[in-house]
């Protein structure tokens, strides 16, 4: 304490600040991909999906296996997304559909049970040693005298593309319109002939697939292990609350905000402690804007 | 409530209490320890039942209260020489109460799912602080300390044996049960239950429900902290793992398995869970959570009332 702010800023070179900005946006976009699946499932189905981090983790593992078998990263990305989307549909049909119409809190309990099972299954199947996904390409480009890997930028763009595609699908696709109709009024949608239970299953599958895709994309940056989902689901929950539950745009803004803040914070403190900054943001949000930072003030 | 049912209730209570008192004399060492542990986890689950079962607020952050109780006891046992049992309890309760006040102030602004997520994230805040503040908390390794003597100042002081430790824990848990039972039947407890049933109407009648909720979270946190102190005394260590939110999740599992809103249900749930874990870990080694998780999911779907749910009215009379 007692260090003046200018001195603190001078201690950080400009290049490092820039690198952290780009890093923050990249992490933020991955986080946005995880959180938009979570907020989609919550906003449409009233299900708080505790198993979301485990779907992220299993997606990364399926990616590791497919990559080892085929040697192609993009094939691994697609296979992982589809596999986990199917798994998501299966989970929804077997455990969440019987809970339709019950208190949303029971879905927290059920998905918590699912997360325990999946996490221990991964530990059992793949062991405690972290696996690595090889990046599809390793090129660098120069960013103010510093090398920066292209791959990181590609992740951010891909995440943005997937989220954009989801938005277009929800806005203009026939099935997207079904999904939005189900959100607005489940009973009325059913009366209009929309197969509501199937729509909910598809939504859960889409959310699960998005989690898996982000798992594979993020795999090359960190090791893949059975506990990697825990960190992410917590961060995604923070994002979803800060951005406003069920609000896609808010989640993206909040993800980038949290990503940037944590990467700036890690200039001064260790990454483990940088998490505390997001916690503080969450507390402040709850105090002053309990409906979320990025939604219009309720009237 | 008929007089006969009261007699039946207290007879059953006395019989079970008597069995638990005699148990350590006949059980082998392993199961004696196991039973004591069930009682401690049961106390933690019971404290959470005040929120889940009576006030209708699902807390996913009870590990914070439990863990801070442990670290509070650790502080007393490490800093004060000679280690004193009552001081450990006092420090543990103060630490848990401080955390509970903090969590209660913020989290009670939110309802339902938001409350659950917020309490979860609060417990993670304390986990990160404890995990990274190595100089004070010992970081990942935690703290180890000696067990204090069972003493009443001015009367006697004897070292704990596994029997006396069991009886001490049993006494604390029984007293907590009776206190919590009394509280849930008091006007305060009735208001909590009416918040669970219809918050808007309770507010309209004129009850300051925010204050009631804060009091409920603090009460719950105090008893959870007490469980943490007992666990620290039994195992002679405090570790950040016990602040991690998986512990909170297990507490919720105890409640759902045993039956919420019954107070004894969570203890039964803890016993059932720990027995399942013990049984399955013989076959599945450390992957016991796979079958336990599947059983839990099945119970959420098919048996939402829990094991003792059918006795809920009778237990609350």
């Amino acid at each position: 304490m007692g260090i003046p702010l200018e001195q603190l800023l001078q201690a950080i070179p400009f290049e490092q600040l820039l690198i952290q900005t780009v890093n923050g946006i990249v992490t933020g976009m991955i986080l946005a991909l995880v959180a938009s699946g979570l907020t989609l499932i919550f906003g449409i189905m009233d299900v708080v999906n505790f198993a979301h981090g485990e779907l992220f983790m299993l997606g990364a593992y399926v990616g590791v296996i497919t990559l080892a078998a085929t040697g192609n990263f993009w094939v691994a990305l697609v296979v992982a997304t589809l596999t986990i989307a199917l798994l998501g549909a299966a989970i929804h049909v077997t455990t969440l559909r019987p809970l339709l119409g019950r208190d949303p809190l029971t879905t927290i309990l059920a998905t918590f049970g699912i997360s325990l099972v999946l996490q221990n299954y991964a530990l059992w199947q793949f062991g405690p040693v972290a696996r690595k996904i090889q990046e599809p390409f390793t090129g660098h480009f120069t960013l103010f005298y510093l090398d920066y890997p292209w791959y990181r930028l590609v992740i951010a763009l891909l995440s943005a593309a997937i989220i954009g595609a989801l938005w277009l699908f929800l806005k203009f696709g026939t099935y997207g319109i079904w999904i939005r109709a189900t959100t607005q009024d489940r009973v009325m949608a059913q009366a209009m002939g929309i197969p509501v239970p199937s729509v909910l299953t598809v939504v859960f599958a889409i959310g699960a697939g998005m989690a898996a895709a982000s798992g594979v994309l993020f795999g090359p940056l960190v090791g893949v292990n059975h506990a990697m989902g825990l960190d992410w689901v917590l961060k995604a929950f923070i994002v979803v609350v800060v951005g406003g539950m069920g609000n896609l745009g808010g989640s993206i803004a909040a993800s980038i905000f949290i990503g940037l803040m944590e990467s700036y914070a890690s200039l001064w403190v260790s990454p483990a402690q940088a998490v505390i900054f997001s916690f503080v943001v969450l507390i402040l949000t709850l105090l002053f804007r309990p409906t979320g930072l990025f939604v219009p003030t309720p009237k | 409530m008929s007089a006969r049912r009261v007699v039946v209730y207290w007879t059953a209570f006395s019989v079970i209490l008597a069995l638990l008192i005699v148990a350590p004399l006949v059980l082998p060492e392993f199961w004696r320890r196991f039973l004591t542990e069930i009682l401690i986890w049961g106390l933690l689950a019971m404290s959470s039942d005040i929120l889940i079962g009576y006030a209708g607020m699902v807390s996913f952050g009870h590990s914070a209260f439990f863990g801070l109780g442990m670290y509070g006891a650790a502080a007393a046992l490490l800093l004060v020489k000679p280690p004193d049992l009552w001081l450990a309890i006092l420090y543990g309760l103060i630490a848990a109460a401080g955390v509970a006040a903090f969590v209660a102030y913020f989290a009670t602004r939110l309802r339902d799912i938001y409350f659950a997520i917020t309490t979860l994230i609060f417990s993670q805040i304390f986990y990160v602080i404890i995990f990274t503040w190595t100089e004070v908390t010992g970081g990942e390794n935690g703290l180890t300390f000696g067990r204090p003597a069972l003493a009443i100042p001015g009367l006697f002081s004897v070292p704990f044996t596994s029997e006396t430790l069991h009886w001490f824990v049993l006494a604390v848990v029984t007293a907590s049960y009776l206190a919590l039972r009394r509280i849930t039947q008091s006007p305060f407890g009735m208001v909590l239950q009416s918040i669970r049933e219809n918050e808007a109407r309770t507010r309209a009648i004129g009850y300051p429900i925010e204050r009631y909720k804060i009091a409920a979270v603090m009460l719950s946190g105090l008893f959870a902290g007490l469980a943490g102190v007992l666990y620290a005394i039994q195992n002679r260590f405090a570790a950040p793992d016990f602040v991690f939110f998986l512990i909170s999740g297990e507490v919720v599992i105890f409640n759902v398995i045993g039956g919420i809103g019954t107070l004894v249900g969570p203890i039964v749930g803890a016993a059932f869970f720990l027995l399942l874990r013990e049984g399955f870990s013989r076959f599945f080694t450390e992957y016991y959570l796979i079958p336990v998780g599947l059983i839990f999911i099945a119970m959420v779907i098919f048996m939402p009332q829990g094991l003792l749910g059918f006795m809920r009215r009778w237990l609350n009379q």
Side-chain angles (χ1 to χ4, degrees), chain A residues 32-278:
Chain A
L33 197 55
V34 183
S36 53
L38 197 65
T39 202
L40 183 75
I41 291 173
F42 179 80
I44 292 170
M45 308 169 57
D46 276 345
V47 167
V48 175
N49 185 14
F50 248 87
H52 211 68
E54 273 57 47
L55 296 170
F56 172 87
M57 174 268 299
L58 280 181
Y61 268 120
V62 175
V64 169
I65 294 167
T66 329
L67 188 61
T70 63
N72 188 323
F73 181 84
W74 307 110
V75 172
L77 179 63
V78 174
V79 169
T81 309
L82 293 179
T83 316
I84 301 302
L86 276 181
L87 176 70
I91 288 176
H92 183 267
V93 171
T94 50
T95 55
L96 291 174
R97 201 177 274 182
L99 296 177
L100 262 184
R102 286 210 218 150
D103 191 335
L105 285 170
T106 57
T107 63
I108 298 193
L109 304 176
T111 53
F112 181 74
I114 294 167
S115 96
L116 286 183
V117 173
L118 292 183
Q119 200 186 327
N120 283 279
Y121 172 77
L123 180 65
W124 177 45
Q125 207 61 29
F126 304 109
V129 184
R131 310 279 182 96
K132 185 92 180 147
I133 296 183
Q134 192 58 47
E135 309 170 14
F137 43 84
T138 48
H140 288 67
F141 68 96
T142 319
L143 184 87
F144 289 91
Y145 317 110
L146 284 161
D147 275 349
Y148 198 83
W150 272 114
Y151 177 67
R152 291 192 172 222
L153 281 194
V154 172
I155 304 180
L157 291 177
L158 258 181
S159 305
I162 296 174
I163 297 171
L166 173 74
W167 184 80
L168 285 177
F169 168 71
L170 286 179
K171 189 90 184 160
F172 300 111
T174 313
Y175 297 111
I177 291 169
W178 284 14
I179 290 174
R180 283 191 294 137
T182 308
T183 320
Q184 282 183 5
D185 193 330
R186 220 175 259 185
V187 177
M188 202 60 196
Q190 182 104 51
M192 290 295 164
I194 295 175
V196 169
S198 316
V199 168
L200 296 181
T201 306
V202 169
V203 169
F204 197 83
I206 294 176
M210 288 172 79
S214 36
V216 179
L217 286 175
F218 202 66
L221 304 188
V222 293
V224 178
N225 71 9
H226 71 276
M228 71 191 289
L230 288 177
D231 272 353
W232 281 90
V233 76
L234 280 178
K235 266 191 206 165
F237 272 136
I238 296 178
V239 162
V240 167
V241 173
V242 170
M245 280 262 191
N247 175 353
L248 197 58
S251 297
I252 297 165
S255 303
I256 295 179
F257 179 54
I258 298 261
L260 279 175
M261 202 185 48
E262 285 198 8
S263 62
Y264 289 143
S266 59
L267 286 172
W268 284 283
V269 296
S270 78
Q273 286 166 328
V275 185
I276 295 178
F277 285 83
S278 354

Side-chain angles (χ1 to χ4, degrees), chain B residues 65-177:
Chain B
F65 311 137
F66 183 72
L68 263 289
M70 278 180 102
Y71 277 93
L77 295 176
L78 286 170
L79 299 177
V80 184
K81 300 282 173 211
D84 184 85
L85 176 66
W86 305 103
L87 213 55
I89 292 179
L90 182 70
Y91 273 43
L93 288 182
I94 290 172
V99 175
F102 181 75
V103 173
Y105 180 73
F106 291 106
T108 50
R109 291 157 186 263
L110 299 156
R111 242 175 284 150
D112 303 339
I113 296 166
Y114 301 88
F115 179 80
I117 295 178
T118 321
T119 48
L120 165 74
I121 290 169
F122 274 113
S123 73
Q124 284 307 100
I125 297 183
F126 291 103
Y127 172 74
V128 171
I129 292 174
I130 288 174
F131 194 83
T132 54
W133 200 6
T134 313
E135 304 88 67
V136 176
T137 61
E140 196 175 356
N141 297 323
L143 301 166
T144 52
F145 38 81
R147 192 182 279 164
L150 175 60
I152 292 177
L155 276 179
F156 66 93
S157 173
V158 287
F160 269 118
T161 63
S162 58
E163 285 95 350
T164 49
L165 180 65
H166 177 84
W167 288 325
F168 177 71
V169 169
L170 182 62
V172 173
V173 174
T174 310
S176 305
Y177 169 66

